[in-house]
Amino acid sequence: MHVGRALIEKHGWHDEYPHWGEQNPDAETTSVREQEHELEQRVSEYIRDLPFLWVDVPADPGPECDRAVIEPNTIARVSHHRRSAGSSDLDWLGYHSPKSEVYQSGLWNVRHVSDKFDPSLVDQLSGYIPSTNALDHQSRI
């Protein structure tokens, strides 16, 4: 949703995609989905080309699992670093986002970007790195 909105803002496509990101039944019609197909494709292409880091944290999902602690703390930590270090990529699409959380944090997240992070995150995350198998570029496709 955030990538699509930033593309709309950057290219002035407000008239072409007036319902993008709306969460109401009127925006879920077949005609709206057909109209937004090209933008969906562009969003998918953009996201597919983003770098990512994958760490295997095995557990059943839930509020008490390590993933429930690692994910928000990692987002908060990276966001804090990016805000304090500044961004070197002045062409980043996120600067066109209408969400201040996106363009200020340098992340495509809005949740947890303003949270304080727990410094013990590094030790907790480090414990999972040795058991994480590397993925090559081909396995992403």
Side-chain angles (χ1 to χ4, degrees):
M1 182 177 66
H2 300 303
V3 172
R5 180 56 56 201
L7 285 167
I8 291 168
E9 294 295 327
K10 179 179 182 178
H11 298 290
W13 294 337
H14 303 93
D15 292 339
E16 290 89 338
Y17 305 107
H19 300 291
W20 181 262
E22 290 181 4
Q23 299 292 325
N24 65 52
D26 295 336
E28 296 300 320
T29 65
T30 301
S31 64
V32 169
R33 285 195 302 267
E34 288 173 357
Q35 175 193 18
E36 293 179 345
H37 180 74
E38 184 178 340
L39 182 57
E40 288 277 0
Q41 293 295 113
R42 290 174 189 227
V43 168
S44 295
E45 289 171 14
Y46 181 87
I47 292 172
R48 182 185 62 232
D49 292 336
L50 291 174
F52 70 95
L53 173 66
W54 174 79
V55 178
D56 186 15
V57 182
D60 290 331
E64 302 301 318
C65 75
D66 283 352
R67 284 187 285 178
V69 174
I70 290 173
E71 180 180 355
N73 270 287
T74 301
I75 292 168
R77 176 64 185 117
V78 172
S79 173
H80 174 79
H81 172 74
R82 297 224 4 138
R83 280 193 313 271
S84 60
S87 178
S88 59
D89 185 1
L90 300 178
D91 293 329
W92 180 55
L93 179 62
Y95 290 131
H96 296 278
S97 174
K99 294 283 190 180
S100 62
E101 298 94 336
V102 171
Y103 63 77
Q104 289 176 353
S105 70
L107 301 173
W108 288 108
N109 292 71
V110 294
R111 292 184 187 156
H112 309 298
V113 295
S114 298
D115 294 357
K116 293 186 182 210
F117 62 91
D118 183 346
S120 69
L121 163 74
V122 175
D123 291 333
Q124 186 179 21
L125 187 58
S126 295
Y128 289 103
I129 292 173
S131 63
T132 299
N133 295 322
L135 296 176
D136 62 19
H137 180 70
Q138 290 301 317
S139 61
R140 290 177 54 192
I141 298 174

